[in-house]
Amino acid sequence: MSFTLEGPVLEGALVRLEPLEQRHTADLAVAAEEDRDTYAYTWVPRSDEVGAYVDAQLARAATGRLAPYAQVSLATGRAVGATSYWEPRSWVSDDRLDAIEVGFTWLARSAQGTGLNAESKLLLFGHAFERWDVARVDLKTDARNTRSRTAIERTGARFEGVLRNWSRSWVPGEEGRLRDSAVYSITTEEWPECRRRLRERVARWSAAARTA
């Protein structure tokens, strides 16, 4: 595939998505230790693992299969989580991107429920559909992860099914086991309605932030 996966800086009203670098390590180390019970089904590095985590993500980026981001809160200027474009796929032409996944997403507890996740998705989906002209964006999560599945469904993504024994489980105590993954997608035809819903949600959060 001749398409080069490179994620540009994406900025909204609440969050700025910056290509992940080692300079984000200190902030992410703090973010990663906030109420780790909220990460039950998602792998989030411990504070002393964040440097190696960033190195691993940058190594994946060097293969052309990942474009990792730090999620930076515009209210504080601090990185409060991470996300990525992942698994670019081309079927029709080598120089055209047909599909991409959004994944490797986590947020500090204090940033959850603040609109940052919704706006991050709006920015990532919008760039994929409107700049790269993809036919679909997909998302996957542990099939047991009700919190994550609810968040995905609120973006307007459609549930496609469960892939059994699809990938590694990140649940403590399940080392070496595989998880079932719930798969969701948004297609080109569905994007305008998803965009409308996400914009409305972000506008509500932005208004609340201004009056807080």
Side-chain angles (χ1 to χ4, degrees):
M1 183 174 70
S2 59
F3 173 84
T4 301
L5 180 60
E6 294 178 345
V9 173
L10 301 171
E11 185 168 332
L14 302 171
V15 67
R16 181 170 61 252
L17 300 180
E18 300 177 355
L20 185 65
E21 298 177 3
Q22 279 293 347
R23 64 187 176 86
H24 297 114
T25 298
D27 283 353
L28 293 178
V30 173
E33 292 299 328
E34 290 187 14
D35 189 2
R36 293 188 62 86
D37 288 343
T38 64
Y39 305 142
Y41 296 99
T42 301
W43 183 71
V44 177
R46 302 299 310 225
S47 59
D48 60 353
E49 299 171 331
V50 171
Y53 164 82
V54 173
D55 284 342
Q57 292 296 74
L58 295 179
R60 291 186 179 99
T63 71
R65 296 180 60 208
L66 183 82
Y69 282 102
Q71 300 190 68
V72 177
S73 167
L74 292 181
T76 66
R78 298 179 64 87
V80 293
T83 191
S84 294
Y85 284 121
W86 173 235
E87 293 284 18
R89 286 153 352 252
S90 292
W91 299 303
V92 177
S93 169
D94 283 347
D95 60 1
R96 171 188 166 83
L97 184 65
D98 293 311
I100 192 78
E101 181 174 340
V102 170
F104 287 97
T105 300
W106 62 272
L107 276 173
R109 179 65 185 92
S110 61
Q112 296 172 25
T114 64
L116 266 70
N117 181 61
E119 188 168 51
S120 290
K121 294 298 190 292
L122 176 62
L123 294 169
L124 291 166
F125 296 167
H127 188 79
F129 282 114
E130 296 163 15
R131 298 294 183 180
W132 289 337
D133 196 28
V134 299
R136 64 174 277 148
V137 170
D138 42 80
L139 307 97
K140 293 197 294 286
T141 189
D142 191 306
R144 300 167 293 179
N145 192 342
T146 303
R147 179 194 294 266
S148 179
R149 293 183 66 166
T150 299
I152 291 172
E153 288 164 3
R154 290 186 69 193
T155 69
R158 295 193 182 186
F159 175 59
E160 293 191 333
V162 173
L163 299 175
R164 297 177 297 167
N165 288 346
W166 182 253
S167 62
R168 174 181 177 179
S169 173
W170 296 108
V171 177
E174 293 187 358
E175 291 78 8
R177 293 177 56 183
L178 297 175
R179 77 178 197 189
D180 295 346
S181 293
V183 182
Y184 294 81
S185 71
I186 301 168
T187 66
T188 303
E189 296 76 15
E190 296 160 351
W191 168 236
E193 175 61 16
C194 291
R195 177 177 57 200
R196 182 190 66 78
R197 292 172 59 171
L198 284 168
R199 283 176 173 172
E200 288 179 352
R201 289 177 59 198
V202 171
R204 289 195 295 271
W205 281 112
S206 297
R210 288 194 297 269
T211 59

